[in-house]
Amino acid sequence: MNTWIPRFCLPARRLVALLVAIGTLAIASPSAAQDATPGIPAHDPVMAEQDGTYYLFTTGEGITMWSSPDRETWTRQGAVFDEPPSWATEVVPEFDNSIWAPDIAEHDGTYYLYYAVSSFGSNASAIGVATSPTLNPDANDYGWTDHGIVVESVPGRDAWNAIDANLIVAEDGQPWLTFGSFWSGVKLVEMATPPTELAEDAEWHNLAGQHRYRKLDPRDAGDRMNGAIEAPFLFKHGDYYYLFASWGLCCRGEESTYKVVVGRSQDITGPYLDKEDQEMRLGGGSLVVDGNERWAGVGHSAAYTFDGTDYLAFHGYDRQDDGNSKLWIREIEWFHGWPKVSLE
């Protein structure tokens, strides 16, 4: 998410904040088989279902939260954090509570919300986590407890970037966190149980990357031709773990070049191979969904199974609305063990 340009320039971020304040928005669906968006303004969407209600979390002031009974009509529920996490300014002194790239996961009856604190164009970044026993804002026990930093990257020290987190629990019950943006790409790290911190003597793995010019300053994130990969998401389907990631540039409105690619592995630690048996660590990746004439770029995806059907949630930049970012939720179609999503 932290490319060589800001993920959100300030005017765009303020515009999103104004748009989401409208409360409830309906999303029309062309068929019962697929959820159709775009609809609500959203960036870096992730979802969870609890007791028949769907909850959506997106990048925004304090993390924006929505709820829906059907994934079509969404009601804004306000922010997770009214004030910035107490530790945030230690990582980014000028932090203004614009929290990036949430991830929501349930583990042993507790909901874990991972999120990123970062600075534009820099890997002065940290992933934090907060927990709640419920996602229902009307429940008596609703409330988020912040557990602080899970992993931090420091400019000049680390050749990776601690944002765009995603938690997955492997079939053996071991939780893992994948994350990363530009620099040396996507990482996987072993988590403790409960997953509020790294495991003692945690294993680290490189999962995916893109070409990066060897003489590029290590403090430089890169650009479209150097290291343009981010937003990893791991999803188990059949015998394989699938690694979804985004290539290209986000956050440029109508000039965005985002697209979603995938690789798969029977071992959660990889290697992840694409359809041509190319390793994602070495730049491999098979296309899942790309932009079109209307949608300048689509990406930062998350995969889920609801009621026996697999879906991909992501955002796209609408050329018919000044390049504003909007939510998409589409059914995943599987062809010979490979996922594909259509914007049509």
Side-chain angles (χ1 to χ4, degrees):
M1 181 174 122
N2 202 359
T3 67
W4 66 284
I5 58 170
R7 172 151 305 256
F8 273 125
C9 62
L10 285 175
R13 194 167 70 239
R14 301 305 181 197
L15 176 60
V16 169
L18 290 172
L19 288 171
V20 297
I22 63 176
T24 303
L25 291 173
I27 303 171
S29 179
S31 71
Q34 286 197 352
D35 284 16
T37 45
I40 62 172
H43 216 270
D44 311 331
V46 292
M47 298 173 62
E49 184 270 337
Q50 183 187 11
D51 299 330
T53 297
Y54 298 89
Y55 296 91
L56 180 78
F57 298 85
T58 68
T59 287
E61 302 295 326
I63 305 176
T64 306
M65 180 177 174
W66 300 74
S67 66
S68 172
D70 53 14
R71 302 188 302 271
E72 295 180 8
T73 301
W74 293 93
T75 299
R76 188 169 186 249
Q77 295 293 344
V80 171
F81 292 100
D82 292 328
E83 300 292 335
S86 60
W87 54 267
T89 53
E90 298 174 12
V91 177
V92 181
E94 68 276 17
F95 187 69
D96 62 357
N97 205 30
S98 177
I99 299 178
W100 295 354
D103 180 63
I104 186 69
E106 185 274 334
H107 182 58
D108 289 340
T110 297
Y111 290 91
Y112 292 80
L113 183 65
Y114 298 86
Y115 60 90
V117 168
S118 190
S119 57
F120 297 145
S122 167
N123 66 333
S125 309
I127 293 167
V129 63
T131 58
S132 176
T134 179
L135 298 179
N136 182 0
D138 297 324
N140 292 333
D141 55 348
Y142 174 81
W144 294 97
T145 300
D146 188 50
H147 298 273
I149 295 174
V150 175
V151 61
E152 180 180 2
S153 55
V154 176
R157 184 193 75 182
D158 303 310
W160 43 272
N161 193 17
I163 64 173
D164 292 3
N166 167 237
L167 181 77
I168 183 171
V169 178
E171 289 191 320
D172 63 1
Q174 174 62 50
W176 296 83
L177 195 73
T178 184
F179 63 90
S181 171
F182 281 64
W183 276 272
S184 60
V186 170
K187 312 299 177 186
L188 180 74
V189 63
E190 189 179 17
M191 297 292 287
T193 302
T196 55
E197 60 184 1
L198 303 188
E200 186 176 358
D201 299 323
E203 291 183 26
W204 287 71
H205 300 270
N206 294 321
L207 296 191
Q210 281 282 282
H211 167 78
R212 180 181 170 93
Y213 180 48
R214 63 182 179 83
K215 292 185 178 181
L216 195 65
D217 189 318
R219 292 176 179 265
D220 191 329
D223 55 29
R224 184 179 179 183
M225 303 303 294
N226 287 277
I229 186 171
E230 58 188 13
F233 195 96
L234 284 168
F235 179 68
K236 186 67 162 54
H237 177 78
D239 294 332
Y240 290 94
Y241 293 96
Y242 289 81
L243 174 60
F244 294 87
S246 295
W247 285 356
L249 300 179
C250 76
C251 321
R252 288 186 157 207
E254 297 179 46
E255 302 303 316
S256 300
T257 61
Y258 245 7
K259 59 184 176 183
V260 178
V261 298
V262 72
R264 70 184 188 182
S265 173
Q266 291 184 311
D267 188 335
I268 195 169
T269 60
Y272 286 84
L273 307 180
D274 66 14
K275 292 180 182 180
E276 307 302 322
D277 289 333
Q278 299 299 306
E279 289 195 35
M280 291 188 77
R281 287 183 306 185
L282 303 177
S286 295
L287 182 66
V288 177
V289 62
D290 199 354
N292 57 24
E293 289 186 3
R294 175 173 176 181
W295 298 93
V298 292
H300 204 110
S301 60
Y304 304 101
T305 302
F306 297 127
D307 299 324
T309 300
D310 297 332
Y311 295 93
L312 198 72
F314 52 98
H315 69 255
Y317 301 95
D318 190 353
R319 287 192 174 102
Q320 295 184 11
D321 188 19
D322 297 323
N324 284 314
S325 177
K326 297 180 181 179
L327 172 68
W328 280 86
I329 306 169
R330 295 298 263 183
E331 184 177 335
I332 298 174
E333 298 180 85
W334 295 93
F335 297 95
H336 305 291
W338 290 97
K340 191 73 174 177
V341 167
S342 174
L343 299 184
E344 302 302 326

